[in-house]
């Protein structure tokens, strides 16, 4: 096969600038990686090492002063993890990325860079349940206070802002409910207040939506889900657009003021459009320590190579299953933004023209008991608490993840007693449908 400029064969692109001409699928396979210079190994090796030898004392000094980029200790940087970080920055069209041990660690890194004790932020109330917990309880112990708002009207974010707010946080595709947030409008509200919009892009993935194109300033990911894609490892990342001016006001002293633990260096002044990334690594990872293991980075890099293909099929299968369930006599409602009946259909066309993901909820006419019977009757679909696997996953939140809540709280979070959550996998669509159909008969 002859190679064309769009199809690199022997030589993968080596320079970051080259990546601008490549398409998503090419970047997903090549960005950040090159054959190993010493062995020629084509896939990225797992660099299972805690530390790295210094050339001499001057080299060590310049590494510690952040004057030279290089490797010191794997809590901060590791060559396998670096490939993943470059790839994520390329796929999100961002300036820099820091990978870490989980999606929750990514949120910790993002907020610990922006907030000090006594600061506040506004978040959508429709978030991954673990994020609501993190923001409501442990963050409070750090002195960070979160105001939750209904994200379906962007003005709600503006109304909740206080002078102490340092960020707005939302998921662009939030479940349960298949909610699509109008992030372009929310970004405008954040920017008028001189603060960044952070978007959790876990469920949409960069294949379906690029939040930076719509004004987001930071993106967080749980790489555990679709990015890794095979349900085999945890990981997270925070990615920076490089466009936010951290010195436009005095809200972000960690970035705009001298840092004592780096001899008075100012991160934004020194590193400019990747100042946030450098701080999240050199202070966040260094001092909080939620590092990603190179073994997990290897699995996630491998998963990302097929992200485009997988998301295309996740969306196709989700659409087929949602259309089937919408007509099923035992199903009361289906909330999938790919269905015309969804109130988020138009926003989905705008933000996710390739499809609104592979995850949605349904309501059963038979209520709580029907939900329990359905998950127990599934044979192909796995009854567990995760999303974004190759396998189809089913969960009845009211009897599992949301069982500690009152029925009123369950309903408010979109996880009432009748709700079933489905993460549609990559099996043959008719097999998924057949299993759900027989499980519904049992319900
Ligand atoms: C899973 C998830 C998280 C948390 O990620 P972990 O990797 O489990 O820490 C955050 N946001 C969303 C949308 C998620 O699905």
């Amino acid at each position: 096969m002859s190679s064309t400029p769009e199809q690199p064969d022997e030589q993968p692109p080596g320079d970051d600038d080259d990546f601008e001409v490549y398409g998503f699928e090419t970047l997903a396979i090549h960005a950040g990686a090159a054959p190993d210079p010493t062995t020629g190994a084509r896939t990225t090796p797992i660099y299972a090492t805690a530390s790295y030898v210094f050339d001499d004392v001057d080299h060590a000094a310049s590494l510690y002063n952040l004057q030279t980029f290089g490797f010191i200790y794997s809590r901060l940087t590791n060559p396998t993890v670096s490939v993943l970080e470059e790839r994520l920055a390329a796929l999100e069209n961002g300036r820099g990325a820091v990978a870490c041990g989980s999606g929750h660690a990514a949120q910790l890194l993002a907020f610990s860079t922006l907030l000090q004790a006594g600061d506040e932020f506004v978040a959508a109330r429709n978030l991954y349940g673990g994020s609501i917990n993190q923001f409501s309880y442990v963050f409070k112990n750090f002195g960070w206070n979160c105001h939750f708002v209904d994200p379906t009207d962007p003005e709600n974010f503006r109304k909740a802002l206080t002078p102490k707010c340092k960020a707005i946080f939302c998921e662009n595709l939030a479940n349960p409910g298949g909610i699509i947030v109008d992030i372009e409008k929310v970004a405008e509200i954040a920017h008028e207040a001189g603060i960044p919009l952070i978007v959790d892009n876990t469920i949409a993935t960069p294949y379906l939506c690029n939040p930076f194109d719509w004004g987001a300033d930071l993106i967080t990911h749980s790489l555990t889900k679709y990015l890794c894609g095979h349900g085999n490892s945890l990981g997270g990342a925070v990615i920076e657009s490089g466009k936010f001016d951290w010195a436009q006001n005095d809200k972000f002293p960690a970035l705009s003021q001298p840092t004592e633990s780096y001899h008075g260096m100012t991160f934004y002044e020194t590193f400019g459009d990747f100042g946030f990334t450098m701080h999240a690594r050199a202070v966040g990872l260094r001092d909080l320590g939620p590092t990603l293991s190179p073994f997990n980075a290897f699995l996630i890099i491998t998963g990302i190579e097929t992200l485009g293909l997988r998301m295309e099929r996740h969306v196709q299968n989700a659409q087929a299953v949602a259309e089937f369930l919408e007509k099923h006599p035992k199903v009361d409602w289906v909330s999938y933004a790919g269905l015309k009946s969804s109130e988020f259909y138009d926003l989905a066309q705008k933000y996710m023209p390739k499809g609104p993901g592979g995850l949605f909820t349904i309501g059963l006419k038979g209520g709580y008991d029907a939900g329990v019977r359905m998950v127990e009757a599934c044979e192909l679909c796995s009854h567990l608490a995760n999303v974004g696997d190759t396998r189809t996953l089913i969960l009845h939140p009211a009897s599992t993840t949301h069982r500690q809540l009152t029925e009123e709280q369950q309903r408010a979070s979109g996880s009432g007693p009748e709700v079933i959550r489905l993460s549609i996998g990559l099996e043959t669509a008719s097999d998924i449908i057949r299993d759900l159909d027989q499980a519904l008969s049992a319900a």
Side-chain angles (χ1 to χ4, degrees), residues 102-104 107 128 131 171 200 202-203 222 224-225 234-235 387:
S102 68
H104 274 9
Q107 291 162 197
Y128 171 72
S131 301
E171 293 176 14
D200 178 338
T202 299
I203 304 301
S222 168
T224 315
K225 315 294 168 54
L234 271 89
V387 301

Side-chain angles (χ1 to χ4, degrees), residues 313 317 380-381 390-392 424-432:
R313 184 61 61 86
N317 281 358
L380 179 67
C381 304
T390 50
R391 285 149 276 260
T392 296
I424 303 299
L426 304 178
E427 302 95 336
T428 311
S430 57
D431 292 337
I432 304 170

Side-chain angles (χ1 to χ4, degrees), residues 293-309:
S293 127
F295 182 71
N296 281 16
F298 172 83
L299 292 174
I300 297 165
I301 290 166
T302 306
I304 287 175
E305 293 183 0
T306 55
L307 179 65
L309 272 175

Side-chain angles (χ1 to χ4, degrees), residues 206-243:
Y207 180 73
L208 299 178
C209 180
N210 267 135
F212 290 155
D213 289 349
W214 303 105
D217 305 288
L218 298 170
I219 292 172
T220 57
H221 269 289
S222 168
L223 305 174
T224 315
K225 315 294 168 54
Y226 293 102
L227 276 284
C228 179
H230 296 72
N232 58 20
S233 42
L234 271 89
V238 54
I239 303 153
E240 164 176 42
S241 73
K243 299 202 179 102

